[in-house]
Amino acid sequence: MTPSPNPKTFDESTLRGTLSMKDEDMMPRLPESATLFDACHVGLVLRVVLFVEAVVAVGSLFGEGQAVDWLLRFALLTAGALPATLAWLVAICAFKVRLCRLNAALQWTAGVVLGLAAGLYGCGLLTAMGLLKPPPWWGSGAAGALLSAMVLAGLFWRAKARAPATAAARLAQLQSRIRPHFLFNTLNSAIALVRAEPAKAEAVLENLSELFRNVLADPAETVTLGQEIALARRYLEIEQIRFGERLQVEWSLDAGADLAKLPPLLLQPLVENAVIHGVEPSPSGAKIKISTLKRGSTVVIKVTNSTPAGVGVRGQGLALANVRERLALLHDVQSRFRIRFKDGVFQVRLEIPL
């Protein structure tokens, strides 16, 4: 794939197509509550801790005139607020699946109640150490409930932000699957093979059917890298019939990376754009390499393609932006997304936690 697709072919790429409003309305949507309690990521934990500490720091300013007195009070309150915050986050992560099964009102109620309990827990720790006399039970519980409600509001809006990105990706994939050229070329290839190589024609139709099934299936929050690899294989098998020797595919896969989690339909558009912008414009074709590698607790995914036809005119880059956004929404600071174009080779590199 090139970082700048040709605008003349852009309307036929993964990102564009024709889809009626009726078809769009029929597409399944990700439930908003599915990620409301998705606080089990390092980035979110850090943000929540920093937010609570900022509130504690501001609250410590009241009644303290000297900087040293403020620091002492801040350290005292942190000794209770930090364990309470971590306890709340652990509880949210531990009961994430069960909490997401509740309706919206019960989810908020459960989160606030856990925050109240966390506030009492922090107050209890300081009281047990003899640092609070008398212990402000009511104030600690109310503060915990209020802070948890504010954090839940942030998680809620984060979940709302993820839904458009997921919907856009599914819409783009549905459009690409029903692109007239792609569909007609696939069917024509199958027809041409029916008499000469019926087994290969059957395989083409099975791959096309599997692509439709994955695109139209009920959306999931995540899929495994192994599932994404299998879908990309089916797509490339179809295009191999069309391009023949012009499409050269190399796989370098690490089985230990197959269980890594990705947003659904994330890898396939990268592979498809490699075909559209690397193979299609070139009479001599191009080479595409898909590699995965497990490095400790991190999985590295690379999609590389040569560009014999040149870079072309710079495009809008919507596919890459969409992949970057969805990856960040799922894995936050634990993911990396990099693009490199050098010496006629374009590469997209993803790093995700295992």
Side-chain angles (χ1 to χ4, degrees), residues 145-274:
L146 179 61
L147 288 174
S148 66
M150 296 174 69
V151 172
L152 284 176
L155 293 175
F156 172 78
W157 288 111
R158 179 177 179 272
K160 294 278 287 185
R162 179 183 293 184
T166 302
R170 289 185 57 75
L171 177 60
Q173 290 306 309
L174 181 58
Q175 289 173 336
S176 70
R177 291 287 71 75
I178 62 174
R179 282 188 300 126
H181 288 124
F182 175 80
L183 182 60
F184 293 157
N185 286 333
T186 303
L187 293 177
N188 286 335
S189 298
I191 293 172
L193 293 170
V194 166
R195 294 184 178 179
E197 299 180 78
K200 187 175 292 187
E202 182 180 357
V204 169
L205 295 177
E206 286 180 352
N207 288 331
L208 181 63
S209 174
E210 186 65 17
L211 288 175
F212 270 104
R213 188 188 69 79
N214 278 272
V215 171
L216 297 176
D218 290 336
E221 183 180 349
T222 61
V223 296
T224 64
L225 176 58
Q227 291 173 305
E228 287 288 286
I229 292 292
L231 187 64
R233 281 186 183 276
R234 290 184 178 274
Y235 169 74
L236 288 174
E237 287 174 5
I238 291 176
E239 294 291 41
Q240 190 74 68
I241 300 298
R242 175 185 173 193
F243 292 105
E245 295 182 355
R246 290 175 58 197
L247 173 57
Q248 304 173 44
V249 182
E250 179 181 344
W251 298 90
S252 178
L253 305 178
D254 185 348
D258 285 349
L259 295 181
K261 297 295 185 180
L262 288 173
L265 298 172
L266 189 84
L267 180 62
Q268 194 274 337
L270 298 179
V271 176
E272 182 170 0
N273 281 346

Side-chain angles (χ1 to χ4, degrees), residues 91-140:
I92 289 295
C93 292
F95 297 105
K96 170 186 171 181
V97 175
R98 295 182 180 180
L99 290 172
C100 286
R101 292 173 182 171
L102 304 175
N103 60 45
L106 289 178
Q107 286 183 10
W108 283 92
T109 301
V112 171
V113 169
L114 287 174
L116 186 148
L120 295 177
Y121 168 69
C123 182
L125 287 178
L126 294 179
T127 302
M129 291 185 289
L131 299 176
L132 285 181
K133 295 181 180 180
W137 297 108
W138 289 103
S140 299

